[in-house]
Amino acid sequence: QQQVKQSPQSLIVQKGGIPIINCAYENTAFDYFPWYQQFPGKGPALLIAIRPDVSEKKEGRFTISFNKSAKQFSLHIMDSQPGDSATYFCAASPFSGGYNKLIFGAGTRLAVHP
Amino acid sequence: DAGVTQSPTHLIKTRGQHVTLRCSPISGHKSVSWYQQVLGQGPQFIFQYYEKEERGRGNFPDRFSARQFPNYSSELNVNALLLGDSALYLCASSWGGRASLQETQYFGPGTRLLVL
């Protein structure tokens, strides 16, 4: 059962554009929402994370927008660069039973053209 | 600083065989989680260990098992391999000191397993 739905599957933008990746969830027990970036042949690396008591968080060129009532959150990449070309995963984590597991979306493959 | 390390990087096995994958967490981290990432999909949670005890388990068959050692390194074992076990197996480490706190999980580069 897919608990975190991510869209789009793939995205192509020109350098300087602002790609937006969206995620939606159903489980109201989720209380931590990280975004990971993965390059081919590498493990996922944490980009930025947000908790549901905050509606927006910025770190450098990356911004998360969070809508608790709609159970949706999105990643915006400002002034995108060819080096941002990678696969991006949203994730959600419920705190339950004394441990935190990450539930990932299916991923968005981003290509930034020069 | 050394990040999460995993070995081997690649592995080829045949159906029915057994495999052991290894992970060393970031120095000072006491918790290790294992994830399976099938090509084109997001990682799926398999196990989390803290201080040698299993904290949580995902929806995987009993053919999958793991353990954590006193130095906090960990092994993932998969028995009776199936073609569908072909995937990238990722290890993630976190400090794990407070179970009530959502902590950042740092991933290793993974072990790519191919089952023929």
Side-chain angles (χ1 to χ4, degrees):
Chain A
Q1 180 184 5
Q2 186 182 11
Q3 298 189 49
V4 179
K5 294 184 179 180
Q6 183 172 347
S7 63
Q9 277 189 314
S10 62
L11 194 51
I12 300 173
V13 299
Q14 294 297 123
K15 178 183 174 183
I18 306 176
I20 301 172
I21 304 170
N22 300 298
C23 286
Y25 64 97
E26 290 294 326
N27 190 343
T28 54
F30 291 155
D31 64 353
Y32 174 67
F33 302 88
W35 285 87
Y36 280 83
Q37 178 190 57
Q38 186 175 31
F39 292 103
K42 304 288 187 182
L46 179 70
L47 266 181
I48 184 172
I50 198 168
R51 300 186 191 278
D53 54 346
V54 177
S55 61
E56 185 176 277
K57 183 175 180 180
K58 291 183 180 181
E59 284 188 7
R61 296 184 295 109
F62 301 95
T63 298
I64 300 179
S65 297
F66 188 85
N67 186 329
K68 187 175 180 178
S69 61
K71 291 186 281 188
Q72 295 175 347
F73 57 111
S74 60
L75 176 71
H76 297 60
I77 305 175
M78 312 302 287
D79 188 26
S80 59
Q81 301 296 314
D84 296 329
S85 298
T87 300
Y88 292 81
F89 293 96
C90 62
S93 180
F95 173 66
S96 61
Y99 73 101
N100 51 331
K101 66 179 180 182
L102 292 172
I103 298 169
F104 285 85
T108 295
R109 185 172 294 182
L110 171 66
V112 181
H113 290 178
Chain B
D1 287 344
V4 178
T5 59
Q6 292 186 245
S7 63
T9 55
H10 296 81
L11 204 51
I12 299 175
K13 292 286 189 178
T14 56
R15 281 177 298 175
Q17 284 189 313
H18 162 270
V19 69
T20 297
L21 310 180
R22 295 177 175 83
C23 170
S24 292
I26 292 171
S27 177
H29 284 190
K30 299 181 178 181
S31 181
V32 168
S33 300
W34 287 95
Y35 291 80
Q36 180 196 64
Q37 185 177 19
V38 173
L39 195 62
Q41 297 182 18
Q44 286 199 36
F45 174 78
I46 310 175
F47 289 109
Q48 186 176 93
Y49 275 77
Y50 173 70
E51 293 274 7
K52 299 185 292 180
E53 297 292 324
E54 180 184 302
R55 257 185 178 171
R57 182 184 188 112
N59 188 24
F60 280 80
D62 291 344
R63 299 184 296 107
F64 289 76
S65 64
R67 55 179 176 166
Q68 188 177 31
F69 299 100
N71 66 352
Y72 306 113
S73 67
S74 177
E75 280 183 357
L76 175 69
N77 296 284
V78 187
N79 292 324
L81 285 167
L82 302 174
L83 296 180
D85 294 331
S86 296
L88 179 68
Y89 288 85
L90 294 162
C91 172
S93 83
S94 59
W95 180 60
R98 287 174 56 190
S100 60
L101 184 66
Q102 294 279 19
E103 298 176 327
T104 298
Q105 294 189 31
Y106 297 88
F107 285 83
T111 292
R112 187 160 295 282
L113 172 65
L114 177 61
V115 182
L116 301 175

